[in-house]
Amino acid sequence: MSPSRLVDNFLQQLQADGLIRSSERILVGLSGGSDSVALLYLLRAVAPSLPFTLVAAHLDHAMRPQSGDDVAFVRALCGRLNIPLHCERVDVPALAATKKVGLEEAGRLARQAFLSRIAAQSGCTAIALGHHRGDQAETILHHLARGCGLHGLACMRRRRGLFVRPLLTYSKAELLAYLKEIQAEFVVDASNDELNFTRNRIRHQFLPLFATLNPQIEATLGVLAAVAAHEDDYWQGEMVRLAALLVQKDGDTVSLSVAGLLLLHPAQRYRLLHLLLTPFARKAMKEVGFRHVSALDLFLASSVPQGEVHLPGVRALRRYDQLSLSPQSLLPIKPSIIPWSLEISGPGFYPLPSGGALRIEPGESLPGGGEEVVEFDAAALPFPWTVRRVQPGDRLRLAGMSGRKRLKELLMEQKIPLEERRRLYVLATDEILWVVGVRRSGLCFPRYGQGVWRVVYLPSNSSAAP
C-alpha cells in the first residue's frame, strides 16, 4: 500500500468497524518511536472527518540515560501539533524488582496503569496504542514460547475496554514509508536491538527464520489471532453464563463446588478457572497463564482433600468439596491454637470465648440428645470437669473401641475444615468426654431411669442464660 493511500485506508477502517466513535476524546500512548508517532499523525489526519479530539501521554521508564531526550522530543512534537501532552517518570527496574517480574512485563504494567489513570483524569474515552501487524506476530510467538492455552492466541484486540489498536492491520514497513513521505522525525531506541530481551530475539531472529518458510508469516499469524479472538469472545460469554450458575460470591471471595468443576469438560473447566482467576491477577498487576490454570486443575483433581495453591494475586483454598478464591492481600496469618480452659464445677451456664456457651443441668430421663446435646451418667461422672480448646495429640475413646482414636483423624473423617478445627472445644476430665457439637466419647453413657447430667451447647447465635 502506497503511503499516500494509507490515510484514506486508515479512515475507511475506522469508519467500517467503529473503532473510534464520533466526538470521542482519544489518549495516544506516545513513546516517540516510529509506531506511536505514525499513529499520532494518522489520527490527527483523520480527526476532522470523524471527528474526535486528541490528547497524548508519555511515560519515561527510567531505563536509559537518553530517556530525558525522548521526553524533550515528544514535548516538542506535541507543541508543534498543538496536542496536549502528559508526561511522567516511573522507575521500571525498581517496579520489576518489587513485583518480581521481568523488565518487559513491569514496563507493560506500568504503562497500562499510567495510561488508564491519565485517561480518567483527562476525560478520554479511548486509549490508542501503536501496535502493528509485526507486534501481533511477535506476541503470538512470545505466548507460545512462554506456554499458553488457546486463549493466549487471541493476543491483542483492535479494541478491548478503553484500549484501541488502530494499526494492527499495517506492517512496520508501511508505517515507516508513511513517516518518510510526510518527513516526520521519530526517536530510535537502541535497546530495541538488544537481544537480551525476549521480544527482541523473536523480532530479529525467529520471525525472519519463519519468513523463509512463509514470506507472509506476519499476516498469517494475524489471521490466527483474529480467529482465536472470535473463538475466545464466544467462550467468554459461555463462561460468564456458566459462572452465574456455579459460582457464589462473598465480598472479594468466590467459591464453587470441586465436584461440580470436575464434572465439566476440560475445555470448560480451563476457561472457567481462567475467567475466575484473571480479576485477582489484574488487581495485583499480574497475569494468569496456562501453567497457573493447569496447576490449579491438577490440584483439584488430586486426592488431597484440603490444601491451598498460591497463584498470581490469588489464594486458592480447597476444603473438601469447596474451592474458594480470594486475593492474596487477604491472606490470613496462619492461626495457632490459643490455649484456653475453664473449670466446670457443677450445674450452670458457662460462656465460651467464641460467644457461645455450655449449659449443664441435672435430669432424670433420656431426652434423646443430638450434636448439640449430650447426657452422662451422673453417678459415674463427678465434678469438676474442664472445657478447653482442642490440642495437638488429643485422642477420643469411642463406643465399641478398645483404644482411642486420634482426634485429627476423626475430624478429617467428619470433613471439618482446618480453620473450624482450631475453634472447637472439648469437654474432659482425665479423658475427653465430648468434642463439643461434633462427637461424644463412649464413656459414662447414662442408664435408663437414672440421674444424668445433660450438657447443652448453645452456639453464639443462640446462647442465652437461663
Side-chain angles (χ1 to χ4, degrees), residues 373-391:
V373 180
V374 292
E375 303 84 19
F376 299 102
D377 184 348
L381 190 61
F383 294 103
W385 310 338
T386 300
V387 59
R388 60 170 174 81
R389 293 283 193 186
V390 295
Q391 296 175 357

Side-chain angles (χ1 to χ4, degrees), residues 205-218 220:
Q205 294 179 339
F206 288 92
L207 270 175
L209 181 61
F210 277 109
T212 64
L213 302 174
N214 178 3
Q216 301 299 318
I217 187 63
E218 287 186 1
T220 300

Side-chain angles (χ1 to χ4, degrees), residues 232-454:
D232 193 57
D233 288 342
Y234 167 78
W235 275 105
Q236 190 78 358
E238 291 298 301
M239 291 306 101
V240 169
R241 285 188 282 274
L242 187 60
L245 297 174
L246 300 181
V247 177
Q248 295 180 327
K249 187 171 176 59
D250 182 10
D252 290 330
T253 299
V254 297
S255 58
L256 65 166
S257 164
V258 174
L261 271 172
L262 296 178
L263 286 174
L264 298 176
H265 188 281
Q268 293 176 303
R269 189 165 63 250
Y270 169 84
R271 288 182 174 273
L272 180 59
L273 290 175
H274 189 278
L275 175 74
L276 297 178
L277 293 173
T278 296
F280 294 103
R282 286 180 178 167
K283 285 183 181 179
M285 295 183 67
K286 297 182 180 180
E287 279 196 338
V288 173
F290 177 75
R291 68 184 186 278
H292 303 123
V293 180
S294 296
L296 181 55
D297 192 38
L298 286 172
F299 171 63
L300 296 177
S302 74
S303 59
V304 178
Q306 299 195 87
E308 58 189 79
V309 175
H310 295 267
L311 302 169
V314 60
R315 176 198 188 208
L317 181 70
R318 178 178 182 176
R319 292 294 182 255
Y320 299 102
D321 187 50
Q322 192 80 356
L323 172 67
S324 298
L325 305 174
S326 57
Q328 283 197 356
S329 58
L330 297 182
L331 187 64
I333 298 174
K334 191 170 182 178
S336 58
I337 299 174
I338 301 175
W340 176 87
S341 66
L342 176 69
E343 182 178 287
I344 304 293
S345 57
F349 184 84
Y350 295 87
L352 302 173
S354 62
L358 292 182
R359 188 176 68 226
I360 301 172
E361 57 194 18
E364 295 295 337
S365 61
L366 300 177
E371 288 187 352
E372 295 180 354
V373 180
V374 292
E375 303 84 19
F376 299 102
D377 184 348
L381 190 61
F383 294 103
W385 310 338
T386 300
V387 59
R388 60 170 174 81
R389 293 283 193 186
V390 295
Q391 296 175 357
D394 274 343
R395 292 175 179 268
L396 183 68
R397 193 181 300 276
L398 299 175
M401 285 185 61
S402 58
R404 295 179 298 167
K405 190 179 186 71
R406 292 176 61 200
L407 200 53
K408 179 179 179 180
E409 294 179 7
L410 175 68
L411 298 177
M412 288 178 63
E413 291 171 1
Q414 298 282 115
K415 296 188 177 182
I416 296 177
L418 287 170
E419 292 79 5
E420 291 185 28
R421 295 180 199 173
R422 297 184 176 102
R423 296 194 292 266
L424 292 176
Y425 300 96
V426 296
L427 187 66
T429 52
D430 54 342
E431 289 215 46
I432 293 177
L433 303 169
W434 184 32
V435 182
V436 177
V438 178
R439 184 78 174 266
R440 69 157 291 153
S441 73
L443 301 173
C444 304
F445 273 105
R447 293 169 294 168
Y448 183 76
Q450 300 298 311
V452 299
W453 291 122
R454 184 173 303 121

Side-chain angles (χ1 to χ4, degrees), residues 63 88 99 111 124 170 206 267-268 370 393 418 455:
M63 291 176 61
E88 285 187 15
K99 295 292 182 181
R111 287 191 298 274
C124 293
Y170 301 104
F206 288 92
Q268 293 176 303
L418 287 170
V455 186

